[in-house]
Amino acid sequence: MEGKSTIHRYYGISAMLLIVVGIISIYLGSHTPNRSESTTLKTNPFNKGEPLSRDSGSVISAGISYGSFKYGLSQCQQITKQQQEKQDKNKELPRRQRNPRGPTNTTLLIKNGYIWLGDRYLDGGDILIKDGLILEVGHGLSTDEDNVQEIDAKGRVVSPGIVDMHTHATVYSLPGLQATADVDELSDSATPYVRVIDAINPIDPAIKLVSSGGVTTTLVLPGSDNLMGGEAAVIKLCPVSTLSNQDMLVTAGVDEEQDREKIWRYMKMSCGENAKAHFGPLNQMPITRMGEAYILRQRFEEARFLKRQQDDWCDAAHRISESLDEENVDEDKITRLSEPYPESLKLESLVALLRHQINLNIHCYLPHDMESFVQHSLEFDFEIAAFHHALSAWQVTEILKRAKTNITIATFAGLIFNSFDRMD
């Protein structure tokens, strides 16, 4: 009797459970949106040409907002534009029609100069300049312009402005005190995320001293104690009434579309003894060149991973964008990406380097140090614009040729023996 009673209780409980499940199913079915209320997008963002497997219904789907999506898409479009400009870089640019950094409504005529033309001199020559643009160089020049400023050079040498491609002036300002020393950010051995423009001192007394020697333009670089020193900047050494270091930039006032002028970015890195000589005594990496190479490769790897994340996001975003009617977007029914466009202030400049948007300048002396950086450039696909100092470059020309692009060698005019690398 007891066994039959247990069986009856078992069947009774089972029946009750079936009834409860049925009631729940009926309730959920009555509260599920009809398929007629949903909208299917044209393409699957991850498989071009296939229909979307997920419909978006009247319930707002999880994911980023449409505003965040549009911001990310604009970043993707900028990347595409930069890639196209890189492919078109060998096209001949039109003759410049204006100087965005020069004066306006002015005409200057320099007469009777001994003009340095680079490979030769023009004795008794003239130079005609209008609105900051050199229009003509020759003999017996004249102009019908009103209010012409004329200068008689009286046989003096007239030369183009000298471009200094390596200086620490304005970030290691005179009189050289700790308070004015902003050349090395030594909180870490690799600081690609810092920028010299945030430290350039527009009232550094060195500006007048340097420009008095004929230097008009200079590349201001971070120091060399960091493996990755940060972003550099090109400035004009002429006074600006605003005392703004932004207005000193060689790209100040440039409109890339109107002027057809590329606004380049610059970065400084170093190799060899400097970084390990500074951080080694502090018992911090790098202590050896092995440690230097690891830190460099680790940072490049992080940047490459972020770059791949951005490219994957852009691929999905472009496919979603192609399926939208931009003039009639229902934000409640669009497919939403789960994450916003991936960005990192710490890695942004390195990603730009991997996208070939930065001219990289490297402090390097010895053969094996230069070879190490060439290998890094091949492994992570970035370009080296110049090796600075590079006293041993003449010994390793074949190694330098392994790089994907030509490398400028910016060596010393004379020998300075204040480090072991220079003595080699």
Side-chain angles (χ1 to χ4, degrees):
M1 293 294 293
E2 185 177 348
K4 290 182 178 180
S5 176
T6 301
I7 292 173
H8 289 160
R9 284 198 301 270
Y10 173 78
Y11 283 123
I13 293 172
S14 298
M16 289 295 294
L17 288 174
L18 288 173
I19 293 172
V20 170
V21 170
I23 293 172
I24 293 175
S25 298
I26 294 172
Y27 175 82
L28 291 177
S30 65
H31 287 77
T32 300
N34 295 327
R35 291 186 60 85
S36 60
E37 296 176 359
S38 63
T39 301
T40 302
L41 297 180
K42 296 178 181 178
T43 58
N44 188 317
F46 302 101
N47 294 289
K48 186 174 286 187
E50 296 182 10
L52 284 168
S53 59
R54 177 174 64 83
D55 295 338
S56 55
S58 59
V59 178
I60 298 177
S61 57
I64 63 174
S65 68
Y66 185 61
S68 180
F69 173 78
K70 293 290 290 182
Y71 166 77
L73 192 62
S74 70
Q75 300 300 106
C76 299
Q77 292 166 345
Q78 181 64 21
I79 292 173
T80 301
K81 178 183 176 183
Q82 291 172 346
Q83 291 172 340
Q84 185 61 46
E85 290 173 348
K86 181 70 176 177
Q87 296 173 358
D88 295 343
K89 70 176 184 177
N90 294 325
K91 291 185 178 180
E92 184 176 351
L93 295 178
R95 182 182 177 89
R96 180 177 288 172
Q97 299 299 315
R98 75 181 191 111
N99 181 353
R101 297 167 292 273
T104 57
N105 300 317
T106 62
T107 302
L108 173 64
L109 180 60
I110 301 175
K111 303 283 291 184
N112 192 31
Y114 192 62
I115 304 172
W116 180 28
L117 300 178
D119 59 344
R120 57 191 174 89
Y121 284 91
L122 180 66
D123 194 5
D126 306 334
I127 305 174
L128 179 61
I129 304 171
K130 180 175 176 57
D131 296 340
L133 286 178
I134 297 176
L135 297 184
E136 193 174 358
V137 178
H139 289 105
L141 301 184
S142 61
T143 177
D144 296 330
E145 296 282 344
D146 296 329
N147 302 319
V148 177
Q149 180 185 4
E150 187 170 314
I151 299 176
D152 186 357
K154 298 180 179 180
R156 295 184 179 89
V157 173
V158 181
S159 77
I162 299 172
V163 178
D164 180 3
M165 63 181 298
H166 188 131
T167 188
H168 302 302
T170 70
V171 290
Y172 197 9
S173 303
L174 293 177
L177 302 175
Q178 180 61 34
T180 60
D182 294 307
V183 69
D184 289 296
E185 177 52 58
L186 295 174
S187 56
D188 193 282
S189 61
T191 57
Y193 39 81
V194 300
R195 310 176 302 178
V196 297
I197 189 60
D198 297 316
I200 286 177
N201 177 10
I203 58 173
D204 182 1
I207 294 175
K208 290 184 178 180
L209 294 175
V210 174
S211 60
S212 69
V215 177
T216 60
T217 308
T218 185
L219 174 60
V220 183
L221 294 162
S224 303
D225 284 347
N226 303 83
L227 292 171
M228 296 180 172
E231 286 202 57
V234 182
I235 63 172
K236 301 289 286 186
L237 297 180
C238 57
V240 290
S241 59
T242 58
L243 293 185
S244 164
N245 54 25
Q246 295 285 341
D247 293 342
M248 296 174 67
L249 290 172
V250 74
T251 53
V254 171
D255 183 309
E256 286 191 281
E257 297 295 332
Q258 178 182 352
D259 300 314
R260 300 291 302 277
E261 183 174 333
K262 172 69 177 177
I263 298 180
W264 280 104
R265 296 169 65 181
Y266 302 83
M267 182 179 286
K268 170 75 175 296
M269 296 187 186
S270 69
C271 58
E273 72 174 89
N274 281 31
K276 72 190 194 79
H278 177 83
F279 291 95
L282 302 175
N283 200 30
Q284 299 177 19
M285 285 187 72
I287 297 175
T288 65
R289 281 176 168 81
M290 295 183 292
E292 291 183 351
Y294 170 76
I295 291 173
L296 289 166
R297 295 178 68 232
Q298 182 188 51
R299 293 301 175 88
F300 288 135
E301 181 185 46
E302 291 173 353
R304 182 170 61 183
F305 181 73
L306 177 58
K307 176 177 177 290
R308 287 172 176 170
Q309 286 183 312
Q310 291 176 346
D311 292 343
D312 289 345
W313 194 97
C314 289
D315 180 67
H318 279 307
R319 296 184 186 188
I320 291 175
S321 178
E322 289 174 358
S323 69
L324 296 178
D325 180 359
E326 295 290 342
E327 297 181 357
N328 187 27
V329 175
D330 187 341
E331 297 185 27
D332 292 345
K333 296 182 180 181
I334 63 173
T335 295
R336 297 172 181 267
L337 293 174
S338 60
E339 300 290 339
Y341 177 78
E343 294 180 289
S344 167
L345 187 62
K346 192 172 184 178
L347 294 173
E348 187 276 331
S349 60
L350 285 183
V351 172
L353 176 67
L354 299 187
R355 294 193 185 281
H356 304 163
Q357 296 301 310
I358 289 184
N359 286 324
L360 177 60
N361 297 264
I362 305 173
H363 162 116
C364 226
Y365 286 92
L366 300 182
H368 52 306
D369 292 328
M370 283 182 270
E371 181 176 21
S372 179
F373 244 107
V374 169
Q375 289 301 112
H376 297 333
S377 74
L378 296 175
E379 179 180 3
F380 294 97
D381 188 25
F382 62 85
E383 298 174 359
I384 300 172
F387 277 128
H388 289 239
H389 314 319
L391 295 180
S392 297
W394 64 275
Q395 297 175 300
V396 289
T397 55
E398 294 304 315
I399 290 176
L400 299 179
K401 291 177 184 178
R402 295 174 188 171
K404 292 184 178 180
T405 55
N406 291 333
I407 299 176
T408 297
I409 302 301
T411 192
F412 289 112
L415 297 178
I416 306 174
F417 300 120
N418 66 347
S419 70
F420 178 82
D421 284 355
R422 297 177 184 179
M423 293 176 63
D424 181 71

